[in-house]
Amino acid sequence: MFHRRHALGLLAAAILPVRSFANVASQRSEIREALAQHFIDDGTVGTFVGYKIDDYLIIASDKNRSGEAKLPASTFKIANSLIALETGVVQDPDKDVFKWDGVTRPIEAWNKDHTLRSAIAASVVPVYQEIARRIGQERMQKHVDLLEYGNRDIGGGIDQFWLTGNLRIDPMQQVDFVDRLRRGALPISKRSQDLVRDILPVTKVGDSIIRAKSGLLGAERGEPSLGWMVGWAEKGSAQTVFALNMDCNEPRLIPERMVLTQACLKDIGGL
């Protein structure tokens, strides 16, 4: 059976940043500047990349920011959940409980006990920091390498590397990583991948659904700066993997991550 290391294939250098993905299927890629206009109209800047599975078509709002690596913030909770399950730090995403440490934080939903499922839904940073500490530096590095996640650099503190440390990932890499999870093609157990797909937050849009994880730098300090939304949309049997990031320097822009994601998905026929 032919092994494909990545889903996305080689991207046209003249259009989007080149990635060292196995060229399994003939890929097309294009820039649609109308997608970038959504960010401009909302008074911010950002980027959107969508991968239409059935069409083998990669669509980006721009050539530059779509390939710029940034801190993943809470989108790393997808990988952190996979690693937690794979290492046994979490056995059951619905039964293993992480007790609230009693520290009151600005986000009220964080100030209580959580399971893995409820922690990813509320994007509870302290729970995932505790998970990372239990995983430990050695096992975390091993699995970040195994997952080929971003630049694979977990320097800057075992419970900070995705928030303020050295880890970086760009939107194209996010799409590739999420697509491998979607297909169950990551080099870890089927069970871990099945469970993480199941606990990803779901948003219903008409007859479509979006499975996605948000990210927001500075959220734990109440000082948002960069927002992410990564995942995939399911419209009937058609699926579109996507990654969006945008500057969120005003509180009003935080919910706009999903609003703009939906607008871009609709533009490319993903919803």
Side-chain angles (χ1 to χ4, degrees):
M1 178 173 145
F2 186 86
H3 171 71
R4 71 174 172 181
R5 179 172 168 267
H6 292 283
L8 298 184
L10 290 170
L11 302 179
I15 303 297
L16 294 171
V18 174
R19 292 283 173 259
S20 57
F21 304 149
N23 191 15
V24 175
S26 178
Q27 301 281 324
R28 295 179 296 133
S29 59
E30 60 185 64
I31 301 293
R32 293 191 187 174
E33 294 180 357
L35 297 172
Q37 191 64 40
H38 288 300
F39 299 99
I40 296 169
D41 291 345
D42 214 1
T44 188
V45 292
T47 187
F48 175 87
V49 176
Y51 174 40
K52 299 191 73 175
I53 306 301
D54 292 344
D55 298 333
Y56 288 98
L57 175 62
I58 301 159
I59 303 168
S61 62
D62 63 276
K63 181 179 177 181
N64 296 320
R65 184 160 171 153
S66 62
E68 291 177 2
K70 300 179 183 295
L71 279 159
S74 285
T75 64
F76 183 71
K77 287 185 175 72
I78 301 175
N80 209 355
S81 298
L82 288 165
I83 298 167
L85 289 162
E86 197 70 2
T87 58
V89 165
V90 175
Q91 297 284 343
D92 189 316
D94 294 304
K95 294 180 180 178
D96 293 7
V97 176
F98 291 85
K99 294 290 185 179
W100 177 41
D101 61 8
V103 178
T104 301
R105 296 178 174 87
I107 300 175
E108 184 59 35
W110 294 4
N111 302 324
K112 63 179 183 179
D113 299 347
H114 279 281
T115 62
L116 192 67
R117 185 184 297 275
S118 67
I120 198 168
S123 201
V124 187
V125 169
V127 168
Y128 276 89
Q129 289 180 308
E130 175 60 22
I131 287 172
R133 288 190 289 267
R134 293 185 189 182
I135 292 169
Q137 189 83 15
E138 185 176 346
R139 290 193 296 179
M140 184 68 80
Q141 185 66 69
K142 173 187 174 183
H143 284 86
V144 168
D145 286 340
L146 191 65
L147 296 174
E148 301 179 31
Y149 190 92
N151 67 355
R152 312 184 196 185
D153 187 344
I154 66 169
I158 188 60
D159 58 2
Q160 290 290 329
F161 65 85
W162 67 94
L163 298 168
T164 60
N166 298 344
L167 189 63
R168 298 290 186 276
I169 191 167
D170 67 46
M172 292 301 307
Q173 291 170 323
Q174 289 270 31
V175 168
D176 174 59
F177 171 69
V178 170
D179 185 55
R180 286 183 286 146
L181 170 62
R182 179 193 66 84
R183 294 186 293 115
L186 293 167
I188 57 174
S189 71
K190 179 180 182 298
R191 176 181 183 271
S192 295
Q193 295 179 80
D194 287 347
L195 287 172
V196 172
R197 284 196 300 270
D198 183 62
I199 66 174
L200 274 179
V202 172
T203 300
K204 294 184 179 180
V205 184
D207 295 332
S208 303
I209 65 170
I210 298 173
R211 303 181 190 274
K213 183 69 196 77
S214 61
L216 192 64
L217 286 182
E220 68 279 7
R221 300 186 303 274
E223 302 170 356
S225 57
L226 173 73
W228 281 101
M229 190 68 69
V230 305
W232 67 91
E234 301 173 2
K235 180 182 180 181
S237 62
Q239 299 191 7
T240 304
V241 185
F242 64 87
L244 170 147
N245 73 44
M246 57 186 276
D247 291 353
C248 287
N249 297 321
E250 304 173 56
R252 71 170 183 87
L253 291 170
I254 296 173
E256 292 299 290
R257 293 170 297 170
M258 179 56 85
V259 173
L260 292 177
T261 293
Q262 291 184 26
C264 290
L265 283 169
K266 286 177 182 176
D267 277 5
I268 67 173
L271 286 180

